[in-house]
Amino acid sequence: MRAIWKGTISFGLVSIPISLFTATRREEIKFRLLRGSDLSPVNYKRVAETDGKEVPWEKIVKGYEYEKGKFVVIKDEDFARVDVEATQTVDIINFVKLAEINPLLFSKPYYMQAEKGGDKAYVLLRDALTASGKVGIAKVVIKERQHLAAIKSQQNGLMLELMRFPDEVIAPGDFKAPQARTASKAEMDMASKLIESMSAKWEPKNYHDDYKEGLEKLIEKKVASGGEDLPVPRRTKKPTAALDLVSILQQSISQTRSGRAAARNGKAHLPKSRVHLN
């Protein structure tokens, strides 16, 4: 893979040369908008609202709408006045216990690879972070934008995970909390048993994007049929009536156990537990 960024990790008087590599990918199925009559692709043009005329790129400027319909133009030199110095350095500000950080703040992970001359210091930082249970909180400029980031020890290496700034996370208090009564002992016992019966060792390969896989199969069928409409599949209606919570939990436990037994015998897949509460 090609590195998306090269620079150094800096803390105290220590500098570690590193490269960043993307750690995740999202393979989405892309669609084009077409004219229905002849399947001609639809393109977009940049047009002015006032007269509907097309505007070439060299005539376009950036503006901020400070009141409805009123704009102030922000030029390249204006952006330069507030631009953060784009050094090739991951500057560690401090070290924080990972358990103290809200998981919602973490955004996008990158692999950090040690470059020539940096192996010894890289391994030292990795092992020290592992032993302390802490992460390095840093700031880094990537693609002309400053990011908050965390440096984490991860198996044999280090990860840089871009973070959201705290004011970008919506507070839980902005959402309505449930008004339900405290669960009874019987309900808690059944819920605990259901969780236990559905517990398993984490195996990433067991989880797939069912929608994406189904959509790919549908596209293949549409292509094979020459674009003809396909029959609508039958869907089972999910129950919506309010049920006794203890009873439905008991049914879920029984279903899960029977599903596991069938799966061990190679007769069926493990069923998904569905609890519908009103």
Side-chain angles (χ1 to χ4, degrees), residues 39-53:
L39 304 188
S40 173
V42 175
N43 295 318
Y44 291 92
K45 293 183 178 181
R46 300 170 299 278
V47 298
E49 286 186 5
T50 53
D51 54 18
K53 292 182 178 179

Side-chain angles (χ1 to χ4, degrees), residues 81-144:
R81 289 191 181 97
V82 294
D83 192 20
V84 178
E85 185 181 358
T87 62
Q88 294 299 105
T89 306
V90 181
D91 288 311
I92 297 179
I93 304 166
N94 44 39
F95 294 93
V96 178
K97 284 193 173 294
L98 178 60
E100 295 177 357
I101 302 174
N102 183 347
L104 292 177
L105 291 172
F106 295 115
S107 174
K108 187 173 183 179
Y110 291 90
Y111 293 118
M112 302 185 88
Q113 176 178 286
E115 293 300 318
K116 186 176 180 180
D119 285 8
K120 186 174 181 179
Y122 181 99
V123 170
L124 176 62
L125 177 59
R126 180 199 67 193
D127 293 348
L129 289 175
T130 300
S132 67
K134 295 182 178 180
V135 298
I137 301 299
K139 286 186 178 179
V140 58
V141 176
I142 300 175
K143 296 179 180 178
E144 300 180 350

Side-chain angles (χ1 to χ4, degrees), residues 33-42:
L33 296 180
L34 311 172
R35 184 166 58 191
S37 60
D38 60 358
L39 304 188
S40 173
V42 175

Side-chain angles (χ1 to χ4, degrees), residues 79 114 134 152-153 197 207 212-213 228 232-233 249 265:
F79 285 108
K134 295 182 178 180
K152 303 177 178 179
S153 59
S197 69
Y207 305 92
K212 178 174 177 285
E213 291 176 358
E228 294 294 326
V232 179
L249 287 171
N265 297 328

Side-chain angles (χ1 to χ4, degrees), residues 8-215:
T8 59
I9 301 172
S10 175
F11 63 105
L13 299 177
V14 180
S15 291
I16 309 171
I18 55 97
S19 294
L20 291 184
F21 295 85
T22 301
T24 60
R25 62 171 174 259
R26 178 67 178 172
E27 295 180 357
E28 296 185 352
I29 299 174
K30 297 181 179 179
F31 295 93
R32 290 286 305 272
L33 296 180
L34 311 172
R35 184 166 58 191
S37 60
D38 60 358
L39 304 188
S40 173
V42 175
N43 295 318
Y44 291 92
K45 293 183 178 181
R46 300 170 299 278
V47 298
E49 286 186 5
T50 53
D51 54 18
K53 292 182 178 179
E54 187 173 359
V55 184
W57 275 115
E58 61 271 18
K59 298 292 184 180
I60 294 177
V61 297
K62 290 183 180 179
Y64 177 79
E65 188 174 17
Y66 61 94
E67 287 183 19
K68 183 67 175 177
K70 293 184 178 181
F71 301 88
V72 59
V73 173
I74 307 296
K75 300 179 180 179
D76 289 342
E77 51 266 35
D78 294 319
F79 285 108
R81 289 191 181 97
V82 294
D83 192 20
V84 178
E85 185 181 358
T87 62
Q88 294 299 105
T89 306
V90 181
D91 288 311
I92 297 179
I93 304 166
N94 44 39
F95 294 93
V96 178
K97 284 193 173 294
L98 178 60
E100 295 177 357
I101 302 174
N102 183 347
L104 292 177
L105 291 172
F106 295 115
S107 174
K108 187 173 183 179
Y110 291 90
Y111 293 118
M112 302 185 88
Q113 176 178 286
E115 293 300 318
K116 186 176 180 180
D119 285 8
K120 186 174 181 179
Y122 181 99
V123 170
L124 176 62
L125 177 59
R126 180 199 67 193
D127 293 348
L129 289 175
T130 300
S132 67
K134 295 182 178 180
V135 298
I137 301 299
K139 286 186 178 179
V140 58
V141 176
I142 300 175
K143 296 179 180 178
E144 300 180 350
R145 181 184 171 189
Q146 187 184 62
H147 299 270
L148 188 65
I151 298 174
K152 303 177 178 179
S153 59
Q154 183 80 11
Q155 297 178 351
N156 295 325
L158 292 171
M159 300 287 296
L160 178 84
E161 188 150 10
L162 298 186
M163 300 174 67
R164 300 175 180 88
F165 285 98
D167 60 359
E168 295 177 315
V169 176
I170 298 172
D174 292 344
F175 299 92
K176 186 178 179 181
Q179 300 298 317
R181 59 175 175 77
T182 303
S184 68
K185 185 177 183 305
E187 291 169 342
M188 281 297 295
D189 287 344
M190 286 296 177
S192 298
K193 288 179 182 177
L194 177 57
I195 291 172
E196 181 60 31
S197 69
M198 295 179 66
S199 296
K201 184 180 178 181
W202 170 246
E203 293 288 352
K205 66 179 183 295
N206 291 341
Y207 305 92
H208 305 273
D209 187 340
D210 298 328
Y211 180 79
K212 178 174 177 285
E213 291 176 358
L215 192 55

